[in-house]
Coordinates of all heavy atoms in Angstrom, one line a residue:
L224 N 8.2 3.6 21.9 CA 7.7 2.3 21.4 C 8.9 1.4 21.1 O 10.0 1.9 20.9 CB 6.9 2.4 20.2 CG 5.5 3.2 20.4 CD1 4.9 3.5 19.1 CD2 4.6 2.3 21.2
T225 N 8.7 0.1 21.2 CA 9.7 -0.9 20.9 C 10.4 -0.7 19.5 O 9.6 -0.6 18.5 CB 9.2 -2.3 21.0 OG1 8.6 -2.5 22.3 CG2 10.2 -3.4 20.8
H226 N 11.7 -0.7 19.5 CA 12.4 -0.6 18.3 C 12.4 -2.0 17.6 O 12.9 -3.0 18.2 CB 13.9 -0.2 18.6 CG 14.7 -0.1 17.4 ND1 15.6 -1.1 17.1 CD2 14.8 0.8 16.3 CE1 16.3 -0.9 15.9 NE2 15.8 0.3 15.5
T227 N 11.8 -2.1 16.4 CA 11.6 -3.4 15.8 C 12.4 -3.5 14.5 O 12.2 -2.6 13.6 CB 10.1 -3.7 15.5 OG1 9.4 -3.6 16.8 CG2 9.9 -5.1 14.9
V228 N 13.2 -4.5 14.3 CA 13.9 -4.7 13.0 C 13.4 -6.1 12.5 O 13.1 -7.0 13.2 CB 15.4 -4.6 13.1 CG1 15.8 -3.2 13.5 CG2 15.9 -5.6 14.1
L229 N 13.4 -6.1 11.1 CA 12.9 -7.3 10.5 C 13.8 -7.7 9.4 O 14.3 -6.9 8.6 CB 11.5 -7.0 9.8 CG 10.9 -8.0 8.8 CD1 10.6 -9.3 9.4 CD2 9.7 -7.4 8.1
A230 N 14.1 -9.1 9.4 CA 14.9 -9.6 8.3 C 13.9 -9.9 7.1 O 13.1 -10.8 7.2 CB 15.6 -10.9 8.7
L231 N 14.0 -9.0 6.1 CA 13.0 -9.0 5.1 C 13.3 -10.0 3.9 O 14.0 -9.6 3.0 CB 12.8 -7.6 4.5 CG 11.5 -7.3 3.8 CD1 10.3 -7.5 4.7 CD2 11.5 -5.8 3.3
H232 N 12.8 -11.2 4.1 CA 12.9 -12.2 3.1 C 11.6 -12.9 2.9 O 11.0 -13.4 3.8 CB 14.0 -13.3 3.5 CG 13.9 -14.5 2.6 ND1 14.3 -14.4 1.3 CD2 13.6 -15.8 2.8 CE1 14.2 -15.6 0.7 NE2 13.7 -16.5 1.7
G233 N 11.1 -12.8 1.6 CA 9.8 -13.4 1.4 C 8.6 -12.6 2.0 O 7.5 -13.2 2.1
L234 N 8.8 -11.4 2.4 CA 7.8 -10.6 3.0 C 7.8 -9.2 2.5 O 8.8 -8.7 2.0 CB 8.0 -10.6 4.5 CG 7.6 -11.8 5.4 CD1 8.0 -11.6 6.8 CD2 6.1 -12.1 5.2
S235 N 6.7 -8.5 2.6 CA 6.5 -7.1 2.3 C 6.1 -6.4 3.6 O 5.5 -7.0 4.5 CB 5.5 -6.9 1.2 OG 5.8 -7.6 0.0
V236 N 6.3 -5.1 3.6 CA 5.9 -4.2 4.7 C 5.2 -3.0 4.2 O 5.6 -2.3 3.3 CB 7.1 -3.8 5.5 CG1 6.7 -2.9 6.7 CG2 8.0 -4.9 6.0
A237 N 4.0 -2.7 4.8 CA 3.3 -1.5 4.5 C 2.7 -0.9 5.8 O 2.2 -1.7 6.7 CB 2.1 -1.8 3.5
T238 N 2.8 0.4 6.0 CA 2.3 1.1 7.2 C 1.4 2.1 6.8 O 1.6 2.9 5.8 CB 3.5 1.7 7.9 OG1 4.4 0.6 8.4 CG2 3.0 2.4 9.2
S239 N 0.3 2.2 7.5 CA -0.7 3.3 7.4 C -0.9 4.0 8.7 O -1.0 3.3 9.7 CB -2.1 2.7 6.9 OG -3.0 3.7 6.8
G240 N -0.8 5.3 8.6 CA -0.9 6.1 9.9 C -1.6 7.4 9.7 O -1.6 8.0 8.6
D241 N -2.3 7.9 10.8 CA -3.0 9.1 10.7 C -2.1 10.3 10.9 O -2.6 11.5 10.9 CB -4.2 9.1 11.6 CG -3.8 9.2 13.1 OD1 -2.6 9.2 13.4 OD2 -4.7 9.1 14.0
Y242 N -0.9 10.1 11.2 CA 0.1 11.2 11.5 C 0.8 11.7 10.2 O 1.6 12.6 10.3 CB 1.1 10.7 12.5 CG 1.9 9.5 12.0 CD1 3.1 9.6 11.3 CD2 1.4 8.2 12.3 CE1 3.8 8.5 10.9 CE2 2.1 7.1 11.9 CZ 3.3 7.2 11.2 OH 4.0 6.1 10.7
R243 N 0.6 11.0 9.1 CA 1.3 11.3 7.9 C 0.7 12.5 7.1 O 1.5 13.4 6.7 CB 1.3 10.1 6.9 CG 2.2 9.0 7.4 CD 2.2 7.8 6.5 NE 3.3 6.9 6.7 CZ 3.4 5.8 6.0 NH1 2.5 5.5 5.0 NH2 4.4 5.0 6.2
R244 N -0.6 12.6 7.0 CA -1.2 13.6 6.2 C -2.5 14.0 6.9 O -3.4 13.1 7.0 CB -1.4 13.2 4.8 CG -1.8 14.3 3.8 CD -1.9 13.8 2.4 NE -2.3 14.8 1.5 CZ -2.8 14.6 0.3 NH1 -2.8 13.4 -0.2 NH2 -3.1 15.6 -0.5
Y245 N -2.7 15.2 7.2 CA -3.9 15.7 7.9 C -4.0 17.2 7.9 O -3.0 17.9 7.5 CB -3.9 15.2 9.3 CG -2.8 15.7 10.2 CD1 -2.8 16.9 10.9 CD2 -1.6 15.0 10.2 CE1 -1.8 17.4 11.6 CE2 -0.5 15.5 11.0 CZ -0.6 16.7 11.7 OH 0.5 17.1 12.4
F246 N -5.1 17.8 8.3 CA -5.2 19.2 8.5 C -5.9 19.4 9.8 O -6.6 18.5 10.3 CB -5.8 20.0 7.4 CG -7.3 19.6 7.1 CD1 -8.3 20.3 7.9 CD2 -7.7 18.7 6.1 CE1 -9.6 20.0 7.6 CE2 -9.0 18.4 5.9 CZ -10.0 19.0 6.7
E247 N -5.7 20.6 10.4 CA -6.4 20.9 11.7 C -7.3 22.1 11.5 O -7.0 23.0 10.8 CB -5.4 21.2 12.8 CG -4.5 20.0 13.2 CD -3.6 20.3 14.3 OE1 -3.4 21.5 14.6 OE2 -3.0 19.4 14.8

Side-chain angles (χ1 to χ4, degrees):
L224 295 167
T225 301
H226 176 260
T227 302
V228 294
L229 166 66
L231 200 59
H232 168 67
L234 283 175
S235 302
V236 180
T238 298
S239 178
D241 69 1
Y242 57 92
R243 287 179 165 179
R244 191 176 178 194
Y245 61 90
F246 65 84
E247 294 183 349

